[in-house]
Coordinates of all heavy atoms in Angstrom, one line a residue:
N183 N 2.0 31.0 -46.2 CA 3.2 31.9 -46.0 C 3.2 32.1 -44.5 O 2.7 33.2 -44.1 CB 3.2 33.1 -46.9 CG 4.3 33.9 -46.6 OD1 5.3 33.6 -46.0 ND2 4.1 35.3 -47.0
W184 N 4.0 31.3 -43.7 CA 4.0 31.6 -42.3 C 4.9 32.7 -41.9 O 5.0 33.0 -40.7 CB 4.5 30.3 -41.6 CG 3.4 29.4 -41.3 CD1 2.8 28.4 -42.0 CD2 2.6 29.4 -40.0 NE1 1.8 27.8 -41.4 CE2 1.6 28.4 -40.2 CE3 2.7 30.2 -38.9 CZ2 0.7 28.2 -39.2 CZ3 1.8 29.9 -37.9 CH2 0.8 29.0 -38.1
R185 N 5.5 33.4 -42.9 CA 6.2 34.7 -42.5 C 5.2 35.8 -42.4 O 5.6 36.9 -41.9 CB 7.2 34.9 -43.5 CG 8.3 33.9 -43.7 CD 9.4 34.3 -44.8 NE 10.3 33.2 -44.8 CZ 11.5 33.1 -44.1 NH1 11.7 34.1 -43.2 NH2 12.3 32.2 -44.3
N186 N 4.0 35.6 -42.8 CA 2.9 36.7 -42.7 C 2.3 36.6 -41.4 O 1.7 35.6 -40.9 CB 1.9 36.4 -43.8 CG 0.9 37.5 -43.9 OD1 0.5 38.1 -43.0 ND2 0.4 37.7 -45.2
P187 N 2.3 37.8 -40.6 CA 1.7 37.8 -39.2 C 0.2 37.5 -39.2 O -0.2 37.0 -38.3 CB 2.0 39.2 -38.8 CG 3.2 39.7 -39.6 CD 3.1 39.0 -41.0
E188 N -0.4 37.9 -40.4 CA -1.9 37.6 -40.4 C -2.1 36.1 -40.5 O -3.1 35.6 -39.9 CB -2.5 38.3 -41.7 CG -2.5 39.8 -41.5 CD -3.1 40.4 -42.8 OE1 -3.3 39.8 -43.8 OE2 -3.4 41.7 -42.7
V189 N -1.4 35.3 -41.2 CA -1.5 33.9 -41.2 C -1.2 33.4 -39.8 O -1.9 32.5 -39.4 CB -0.5 33.3 -42.2 CG1 -0.4 31.7 -42.1 CG2 -0.8 33.7 -43.6
Q190 N -0.2 33.8 -39.2 CA 0.1 33.4 -37.8 C -1.1 33.6 -36.9 O -1.5 32.6 -36.1 CB 1.3 34.2 -37.2 CG 2.6 33.9 -38.1 CD 3.7 34.9 -37.7 OE1 3.6 35.6 -36.7 NE2 4.8 34.9 -38.5
E191 N -1.7 34.8 -37.0 CA -2.7 35.0 -36.0 C -4.0 34.2 -36.4 O -4.7 33.7 -35.5 CB -3.1 36.5 -36.1 CG -4.3 36.9 -35.1 CD -3.9 36.7 -33.6 OE1 -2.7 36.7 -33.3 OE2 -4.8 36.4 -32.9
A192 N -4.2 34.0 -37.7 CA -5.4 33.2 -38.1 C -5.3 31.8 -37.5 O -6.2 31.1 -37.0 CB -5.5 33.2 -39.5
M193 N -4.1 31.2 -37.6 CA -3.9 29.8 -37.2 C -3.9 29.7 -35.6 O -4.3 28.7 -35.1 CB -2.7 29.3 -37.7 CG -2.6 27.7 -37.7 SD -3.9 26.9 -38.7 CE -3.4 27.4 -40.4
M194 N -3.4 30.8 -35.0 CA -3.5 30.7 -33.4 C -4.9 30.7 -33.1 O -5.3 30.1 -32.1 CB -2.8 31.9 -32.9 CG -1.2 32.0 -33.2 SD -0.3 30.5 -32.7 CE 0.2 30.0 -34.4
N195 N -5.8 31.4 -33.9 CA -7.2 31.5 -33.5 C -7.9 30.1 -33.8 O -8.8 29.8 -33.1 CB -7.9 32.6 -34.3 CG -7.5 34.0 -33.7 OD1 -7.2 34.1 -32.6 ND2 -7.6 35.0 -34.6
V196 N -7.4 29.4 -34.8 CA -7.9 28.1 -35.1 C -7.6 27.2 -33.8 O -8.4 26.4 -33.3 CB -7.2 27.5 -36.3 CG1 -7.5 26.0 -36.4 CG2 -7.8 28.2 -37.6
M197 N -6.4 27.2 -33.3 CA -6.0 26.5 -32.2 C -6.8 26.8 -30.9 O -7.4 25.9 -30.2 CB -4.5 26.8 -31.8 CG -3.6 26.2 -32.8 SD -1.8 26.6 -32.4 CE -1.6 25.6 -30.9
R198 N -7.1 28.1 -30.7 CA -7.9 28.5 -29.6 C -9.4 28.0 -29.7 O -10.0 27.7 -28.8 CB -7.9 30.0 -29.5 CG -6.6 30.6 -29.0 CD -6.7 32.1 -28.7 NE -5.4 32.6 -28.4 CZ -4.6 33.3 -29.2 NH1 -4.9 33.4 -30.5 NH2 -3.3 33.7 -28.8
F199 N -9.9 28.0 -31.0 CA -11.3 27.5 -31.2 C -11.4 26.1 -30.7 O -12.4 25.8 -29.9 CB -11.6 27.5 -32.7 CG -12.9 26.9 -33.0 CD1 -14.1 27.6 -32.9 CD2 -13.0 25.5 -33.5 CE1 -15.3 27.0 -33.3 CE2 -14.2 24.9 -33.8 CZ -15.3 25.7 -33.7
W200 N -10.5 25.2 -31.0 CA -10.6 23.7 -30.5 C -10.2 23.7 -29.0 O -10.8 22.8 -28.3 CB -9.7 22.9 -31.4 CG -10.3 22.9 -32.8 CD1 -9.9 23.5 -33.9 CD2 -11.5 22.2 -33.2 NE1 -10.6 23.2 -35.0 CE2 -11.6 22.4 -34.6 CE3 -12.4 21.3 -32.6 CZ2 -12.7 21.8 -35.3 CZ3 -13.4 20.8 -33.3 CH2 -13.6 21.0 -34.7
L201 N -9.3 24.4 -28.6 CA -8.8 24.4 -27.1 C -10.0 24.9 -26.3 O -10.2 24.4 -25.2 CB -7.6 25.1 -26.9 CG -6.3 24.6 -27.5 CD1 -5.2 25.5 -27.5 CD2 -5.9 23.3 -26.7
D202 N -10.7 25.9 -26.8 CA -11.9 26.4 -26.0 C -13.0 25.3 -25.9 O -13.7 25.3 -25.0 CB -12.5 27.6 -26.8 CG -11.6 28.9 -26.5 OD1 -10.8 28.8 -25.6 OD2 -11.8 29.8 -27.3
K203 N -13.0 24.4 -26.9 CA -14.0 23.4 -26.9 C -13.7 22.3 -25.8 O -14.5 21.5 -25.3 CB -14.1 22.6 -28.2 CG -15.1 23.3 -29.2 CD -15.3 22.4 -30.4 CE -16.5 22.9 -31.2 NZ -17.8 22.6 -30.6
G204 N -12.4 22.3 -25.5 CA -11.9 21.4 -24.4 C -11.0 20.2 -24.9 O -10.7 19.3 -24.0
I205 N -10.6 20.2 -26.1 CA -9.6 19.2 -26.5 C -8.3 19.3 -25.7 O -8.1 20.4 -25.1 CB -9.3 19.2 -28.0 CG1 -8.4 20.5 -28.4 CG2 -10.6 19.2 -28.8 CD1 -7.7 20.3 -29.7
D206 N -7.5 18.3 -25.7 CA -6.4 18.2 -24.8 C -5.0 18.6 -25.4 O -4.0 18.4 -24.9 CB -6.4 16.9 -24.1 CG -7.6 16.7 -23.3 OD1 -7.8 17.2 -22.2 OD2 -8.5 15.9 -23.8
G207 N -5.1 18.9 -26.8 CA -3.9 19.2 -27.4 C -3.9 18.9 -28.9 O -4.9 18.5 -29.5
F208 N -2.8 19.1 -29.6 CA -2.6 18.9 -31.0 C -1.4 18.1 -31.3 O -0.4 18.1 -30.7 CB -2.5 20.2 -31.7 CG -3.7 21.1 -31.6 CD1 -3.6 22.2 -30.7 CD2 -4.7 21.0 -32.4 CE1 -4.8 23.0 -30.6 CE2 -5.8 21.9 -32.3 CZ -5.8 22.9 -31.4
R209 N -1.5 17.3 -32.3 CA -0.4 16.8 -33.1 C -0.3 17.6 -34.4 O -1.2 17.8 -35.1 CB -0.6 15.3 -33.4 CG 0.5 14.7 -34.4 CD 0.1 14.8 -35.8 NE 0.9 14.0 -36.7 CZ 0.8 14.1 -38.1 NH1 -0.1 14.9 -38.6 NH2 1.5 13.3 -38.8
V210 N 0.8 18.3 -34.5 CA 1.0 19.3 -35.6 C 1.7 18.6 -36.8 O 2.8 18.1 -36.7 CB 1.9 20.5 -35.1 CG1 2.0 21.5 -36.3 CG2 1.2 21.2 -34.0
D211 N 0.9 18.6 -37.9 CA 1.4 17.9 -39.1 C 2.6 18.7 -39.8 O 2.7 19.9 -39.7 CB 0.2 18.0 -40.1 CG 0.5 17.1 -41.4 OD1 0.8 15.9 -41.3 OD2 0.5 17.8 -42.5
V212 N 3.5 17.9 -40.2 CA 4.8 18.4 -40.9 C 5.4 19.7 -40.3 O 5.6 20.7 -41.0 CB 4.6 18.5 -42.4 CG1 4.4 17.1 -43.0 CG2 3.5 19.4 -42.8
M213 N 5.5 19.7 -39.0 CA 6.0 20.9 -38.3 C 7.2 21.5 -38.9 O 7.4 22.7 -39.0 CB 6.2 20.5 -36.8 CG 6.6 21.7 -36.0 SD 6.8 21.4 -34.2 CE 5.1 21.5 -33.6
W214 N 8.2 20.6 -39.3 CA 9.4 21.1 -39.8 C 9.3 21.8 -41.2 O 10.3 22.4 -41.7 CB 10.5 20.1 -39.7 CG 10.6 19.1 -40.8 CD1 11.6 19.0 -41.7 CD2 9.6 18.0 -41.2 NE1 11.3 17.9 -42.6 CE2 10.1 17.3 -42.3 CE3 8.4 17.6 -40.7 CZ2 9.5 16.2 -42.8 CZ3 7.8 16.4 -41.2 CH2 8.4 15.8 -42.3
H215 N 8.2 21.7 -41.9 CA 8.0 22.3 -43.2 C 7.5 23.7 -43.2 O 7.5 24.4 -44.2 CB 6.9 21.5 -43.9 CG 7.4 20.3 -44.7 ND1 7.7 20.3 -46.0 CD2 7.7 19.0 -44.3 CE1 8.2 19.1 -46.4 NE2 8.2 18.3 -45.4
M216 N 7.1 24.3 -42.0 CA 6.3 25.5 -42.0 C 7.0 26.8 -42.5 O 6.3 27.7 -43.0 CB 5.7 25.7 -40.6 CG 4.5 24.7 -40.3 SD 3.6 25.2 -38.9 CE 4.9 25.2 -37.6
I217 N 8.2 26.8 -42.4 CA 9.0 28.0 -42.9 C 9.9 27.5 -44.0 O 10.7 26.6 -43.8 CB 9.7 28.7 -41.8 CG1 8.8 29.3 -40.8 CG2 10.7 29.8 -42.3 CD1 8.2 30.7 -41.3
K218 N 10.0 28.4 -45.1 CA 10.9 28.0 -46.2 C 11.9 29.1 -46.3 O 11.8 30.3 -45.8 CB 10.1 27.9 -47.5 CG 9.2 26.7 -47.7 CD 7.9 26.9 -46.8 CE 7.0 25.7 -47.0 NZ 5.9 25.7 -46.1

Side-chain angles (χ1 to χ4, degrees):
N183 175 18
W184 270 91
R185 296 180 184 274
N186 186 325
E188 293 180 349
V189 170
Q190 297 169 9
E191 183 59 29
M193 200 60 71
M194 298 307 114
N195 287 336
V196 167
M197 293 178 66
R198 291 187 182 98
F199 173 84
W200 293 103
L201 290 166
D202 285 342
K203 273 188 170 289
I205 72 158
D206 299 286
F208 296 99
R209 173 266 193 189
V210 180
D211 187 60
V212 295
M213 180 179 275
W214 83 112
H215 272 262
M216 287 194 298
I217 292 283
K218 290 77 176 168

